[in-house]
Amino acid sequence: MKRRKFIKNTSLSGLSLVTANAFAKSGIMQDNNLNKIVKPIVVATWRVPNATKKAWEILQDGGSSLDAVEQGCRIEEADINNTSVGKGGLPDRDGNVTLDACIMDKEGNYGSVVYLQDIVHPVSVARKVMENTPHVMLAGKGAKQFALSQGFKSENLLTESSKKAWEEWKKKSEYKPIINIENHDTIGMLALDKNGDLSGACTTSGLSYKMQGRVGDSPIIGSGLFVDNEVGAATATGMGEEVLKTVGSFLIVELMRQGKTPQQACKEAVMRIVKKSGNRYKDFQVGFIALNKQGEIGSYCIHEWFNYQVYAKDENKNYKSDFYHKP
Ligand code: ASP
């Protein structure tokens, strides 16, 4: 498949053409009238139909985008078969399951937890940080203590199968991130509700077999997630270190503010990572999704097989992202 050529023109006609292309690809037809907003809509990284379904039900009932992204993320956090998020997440190289998550609302409020252990729903703890503390981020022991004080229960998150996989890994102890480890990964979710308000959330167990104490992009404001209710929202998956160095999600929102479509903005953020990495990009994956105030979506990644889930217009569909590396 030839790489799509994107129009650089940021005039309104240029915009609607590019947007129409992105939507034709995703199967969601965008109205020619830019004032016609596609809402509600929820978009998430990877193949997570149950998560977007949950979010969609909340949005359809007139619920807020904030409730939708939180509840949607919780579905994956509770799924022990998803080994990159919540319970069942693969541990660090010492066998600890450590979780990172964040959430951001339409007012630009933000809450996050990093290196949280023994709590199944870090996204909900992040929301409590946002709503019930004067802070935006809590880490490690303090985050857990806070979670317990808010009524969350402590439990062992290392499942038998994740423990087995870790024990297998320990035989060689080879630290080599694998591109697209599986068909689901960090979940980043963005939603636009019936009121036209945007929110986002992101939750992960981070890179498997990471060094103890390692925190990636997912819970870091502007890197793994950013929401500006005037413009749009973006979230990331993949090699967190690379996303952090370019503050990818904030970059995408700022590019959209300057007139780029979500698709153009995601592509530019990926290209920045690719260019800065020299040849290293061949060994890691980064994928972004974005949603703007009009309900237009975009997605771009380095390597093939990143996909994303969209629930809009009563349809819950998975789409393959466009990608850079076409050897
Ligand atoms: N971005 C996550 C991290 O670096 C991992 C991933 O999405 O695979 O922690």
Side-chain angles (χ1 to χ4, degrees):
M1 188 168 74
K2 274 195 196 147
R3 186 146 21 111
R4 191 188 299 264
K5 284 198 178 130
F6 290 98
I7 297 159
K8 290 202 179 95
N9 186 346
T10 54
S11 70
L12 268 189
S13 58
L15 267 177
S16 47
L17 190 57
V18 174
T19 303
N21 282 344
F23 271 75
K25 181 180 156 234
S26 68
I28 296 170
M29 293 314 296
Q30 194 241 348
D31 240 287
N32 283 338
N33 177 358
L34 274 180
N35 293 323
K36 265 234 164 128
I37 297 171
V38 179
K39 67 176 181 179
I41 180 169
V42 55
V43 51
T45 53
W46 305 104
R47 188 178 294 278
V48 288
N50 297 334
T52 47
K53 180 171 178 283
K54 180 74 192 173
W56 173 260
E57 284 163 3
I58 290 165
L59 295 169
Q60 270 301 71
D61 280 356
S64 70
S65 52
L66 187 66
D67 286 339
V69 294
E70 182 195 0
Q71 293 302 322
C73 284
R74 283 174 66 99
I75 297 288
E76 293 302 310
E77 289 177 339
D79 180 359
I80 55 167
N81 297 315
N82 186 335
T83 58
S84 316
V85 178
K87 188 164 182 169
L90 288 166
D92 65 19
R93 49 180 68 179
D94 300 314
N96 309 298
V97 180
T98 67
L99 306 178
D100 301 331
C102 69
I103 194 160
M104 193 162 185
D105 74 6
K106 61 177 181 179
E107 317 281 356
N109 295 312
Y110 180 84
S112 126
V113 287
V114 305
Y115 201 86
L116 178 64
Q117 290 179 269
D118 307 320
I119 305 286
V120 181
H121 292 299
V123 73
S124 296
V125 184
R127 183 167 177 178
K128 296 277 188 208
V129 171
M130 176 172 84
E131 292 177 343
N132 297 350
T133 81
H135 307 304
V136 294
M137 186 182 288
L138 290 178
K141 255 192 189 167
K144 181 173 172 186
Q145 201 175 57
F146 170 70
L148 296 175
S149 78
Q150 298 290 305
F152 293 85
K153 298 273 171 287
S154 177
E155 66 176 277
N156 177 20
L157 303 181
L158 187 63
T159 55
E160 266 316 302
S161 74
S162 286
K163 194 171 168 209
K164 260 196 198 138
W166 168 61
E167 275 159 359
E168 199 49 43
W169 172 83
K170 268 202 301 187
K171 288 181 187 160
K172 281 193 185 162
S173 294
E174 200 178 42
Y175 185 62
K176 203 171 171 211
I178 304 162
I179 293 168
N180 299 334
I181 299 173
E182 50 194 3
N183 221 4
H184 43 68
D185 221 298
T186 292
I187 174 166
M189 185 177 270
L190 312 170
L192 182 68
D193 61 29
K194 283 186 175 172
N195 283 334
D197 290 321
L198 289 159
S199 302
C202 192
T203 181
T204 189
S205 52
L207 293 179
S208 42
Y209 319 128
K210 59 196 174 186
M211 287 174 69
Q212 190 174 169
R214 182 263 186 191
V215 173
D217 61 313
S218 305
I220 307 298
I221 189 165
S223 289
L225 175 75
F226 198 72
V227 178
D228 185 326
N229 199 32
E230 283 182 9
V231 179
T235 188
T237 181
M239 187 58 76
E241 282 70 8
E242 305 298 328
V243 177
L244 281 162
K245 286 190 275 186
T246 50
V247 198
S249 294
F250 181 71
L251 173 63
I252 290 169
V253 172
E254 289 308 299
L255 290 169
M256 292 195 288
R257 192 193 307 281
Q258 289 164 22
K260 298 245 194 277
T261 63
Q263 184 64 32
Q264 291 172 320
C266 287
K267 183 173 182 186
E268 189 163 330
V270 165
M271 292 315 297
R272 223 173 261 199
I273 291 173
V274 167
K275 278 188 198 136
K276 286 200 169 157
S277 81
N279 248 347
R280 285 186 307 110
Y281 74 87
K282 291 188 175 151
D283 297 326
F284 63 79
Q285 173 69 302
V286 168
F288 290 108
I289 57 170
L291 171 67
N292 70 10
K293 210 48 191 166
Q294 283 73 40
E296 299 163 347
I297 50 175
S299 145
Y300 203 76
C301 60
I302 300 177
H303 301 281
E304 196 173 6
W305 303 121
F306 167 54
N307 49 40
Y308 57 101
Q309 193 79 27
V310 182
Y311 210 138
K313 299 193 168 178
D314 282 322
E315 281 189 314
N316 193 5
K317 287 190 175 172
N318 190 265
Y319 302 99
K320 185 177 167 189
S321 173
D322 198 4
F323 56 99
Y324 168 73
H325 188 54
K326 294 170 179 139

